[in-house]
Amino acid sequence: MEEPLGMAGMLGQYVRPALVLICAMLVFNLPIVIYKIGLLKSTILYLLFCNDKKWKRTSDPGAVFGPHISAGKPIERKKIYFVRHGESTWNDTFNKGNHRSTAVFILGFLPGVVKAVLFEIYLVLSGKMDSWFYDSPLSQVGLKQVEELAVFMERDPPETDEEIIKILRADPGAKPSKFVCSNLRRAISTLAGGFRERLGRRKVDKILVLPCLQEMSRNPDAQSITPAHTPIQASWMEKGSKVCNFDDILRKHVDTSLHTGNKPIRGSGYDRMIQFCKFVFSNAVREEHVIAGGHSLYFKSFFQCFLPASVDHVAKNKKIKNGGVVCFELMKAKTQYGDQFMIDPASVRVIYLGF
């Protein structure tokens, strides 16, 4: 007569087959596993060596443009519209946000982290090129914010903003505008959903992905999960969303020809901001109006660097709200020190939500 199995034996009956199944799934989805290991490696390198938010103190653009303007020298101008992404799954896990109390956030923090880790494991085992942490997508709160942006864009604008809204919507007769965006999914999806009516109506419109707009952060949520020059994939959150058909818009309206992958570890956010400034004034952008999807720290740093030092503006100290839209005129002057850029402080204007 066989003796009954002890606790260890009973556990072994279930654990061993589970481990075999997990190993089989990892082998079956080996390319995804290897890619995720690469992301983990780059995350460690970013945490150790990234200088993304460190650069030498820049010169005051006001000191450059003041004499330039006084002398009547030529200045080029472009109208830039910063659109901040909706909240992400990373925000949902690690940030309190405005949608819940501090007590609710604290009580739900550990369960939220466990949920996120378990879901990340599921995504790896199931072979999905998706992630809760890396290049974190829009959360349910973020999708709601994108829906609210879309509704704002689709309703009749107030007279004070009528011309600007028509440009953003590309209404008949409006001045042409161009979409550019960070290579992070939540920013791309915010433009895709927030401007769904325009993109649905104008088949030729493209969202041009620019790595120079990538967020300034060491965190894994600021790493792009999309390999260079490959299509942007809708996340699991977006596939079931009613905001818009993300799969369709991302497939038809996103241009990744300039997406060269993640930002360099040894680079800086300032380098990328200068790249962005040069790009919008290059021959690649003939439009006067540029709609840029991006991120809070990048946008705040942009205002800090390119608004005159003498100007005390809320944009230097506060982030644009999730789903918010702020516009301004970016000026370019050719000087003996090369091209210089400055935001016209009188042109900064809140279109939606603000800071």
Side-chain angles (χ1 to χ4, degrees), residues 142-180:
L143 287 167
K144 183 175 182 292
Q145 291 164 339
V146 172
E147 170 68 24
E148 290 167 351
L149 171 60
V151 170
F152 170 80
M153 293 300 304
E154 291 162 11
R155 69 188 183 203
D156 291 335
E159 288 186 14
T160 53
D161 294 333
E162 186 174 5
E163 182 181 358
I164 286 177
I165 299 299
K166 286 183 176 180
I167 290 170
L168 290 171
R169 296 193 308 211
D171 285 355
K175 295 177 181 178
S177 58
K178 184 180 186 69
F179 287 116
V180 296

Side-chain angles (χ1 to χ4, degrees), residues 55-245:
W55 54 79
K56 292 181 180 179
R57 187 173 182 177
T58 58
S59 59
D60 176 14
V64 175
F65 275 78
H68 201 88
I69 294 172
S70 298
K73 294 181 180 179
I75 290 176
E76 297 179 59
R77 293 174 180 263
K78 288 288 180 89
K79 192 87 165 184
I80 311 296
Y81 303 80
F82 276 170
V83 182
R84 186 188 172 191
H85 66 79
E87 285 205 20
S88 68
T89 52
W90 177 277
N91 299 143
D92 188 60
T93 304
F94 296 107
N95 299 342
K96 181 183 79 68
N98 296 321
H99 61 286
R100 56 189 170 189
S101 67
T102 302
V104 169
F105 171 67
I106 292 173
L107 290 172
F109 179 74
L110 285 179
V113 171
V114 171
K115 171 188 172 183
V117 170
L118 291 176
F119 196 81
E120 190 73 25
I121 293 171
Y122 157 74
L123 291 172
V124 173
L125 294 178
S126 58
K128 298 183 184 298
M129 182 62 84
D130 212 336
S131 178
W132 187 288
F133 298 111
Y134 296 109
D135 196 353
S136 54
L138 293 171
S139 65
Q140 289 294 348
V141 173
L143 287 167
K144 183 175 182 292
Q145 291 164 339
V146 172
E147 170 68 24
E148 290 167 351
L149 171 60
V151 170
F152 170 80
M153 293 300 304
E154 291 162 11
R155 69 188 183 203
D156 291 335
E159 288 186 14
T160 53
D161 294 333
E162 186 174 5
E163 182 181 358
I164 286 177
I165 299 299
K166 286 183 176 180
I167 290 170
L168 290 171
R169 296 193 308 211
D171 285 355
K175 295 177 181 178
S177 58
K178 184 180 186 69
F179 287 116
V180 296
C181 193
S182 157
N183 54 1
L184 300 180
R185 296 181 297 169
R186 56 191 179 274
I188 298 168
S189 295
T190 296
L191 289 187
F195 292 84
R196 62 191 179 190
E197 189 277 332
R198 169 176 172 169
L199 293 171
R201 173 169 43 88
R202 292 173 54 87
K203 307 303 181 185
V204 297
D205 274 356
K206 299 289 184 182
I207 299 171
L208 181 63
V209 175
L210 298 178
C212 61
L213 283 168
Q214 192 170 352
E215 177 63 310
M216 299 177 189
S217 174
R218 301 166 181 258
N219 294 334
D221 69 314
Q223 287 192 56
S224 174
I225 200 173
T226 306
H229 309 301
T230 60
I232 305 295
Q233 302 293 324
S235 73
W236 83 93
M237 297 288 285
E238 295 156 3
K239 287 180 183 295
S241 171
K242 295 182 180 179
V243 173
C244 66
N245 187 336

Side-chain angles (χ1 to χ4, degrees), residues 57-67 69 75 77 300-317 328-331 341-348:
R57 187 173 182 177
T58 58
S59 59
D60 176 14
V64 175
F65 275 78
I69 294 172
I75 290 176
R77 293 174 180 263
K300 187 169 78 167
S301 298
F302 197 93
F303 285 116
Q304 289 171 343
C305 287
F306 297 108
L307 276 170
S310 60
V311 173
D312 183 19
H313 198 285
V314 64
K316 290 183 176 182
N317 303 308
F328 58 89
E329 284 192 0
L330 183 64
M331 303 188 294
F341 305 95
M342 186 180 86
I343 295 172
D344 180 351
S347 71
V348 181

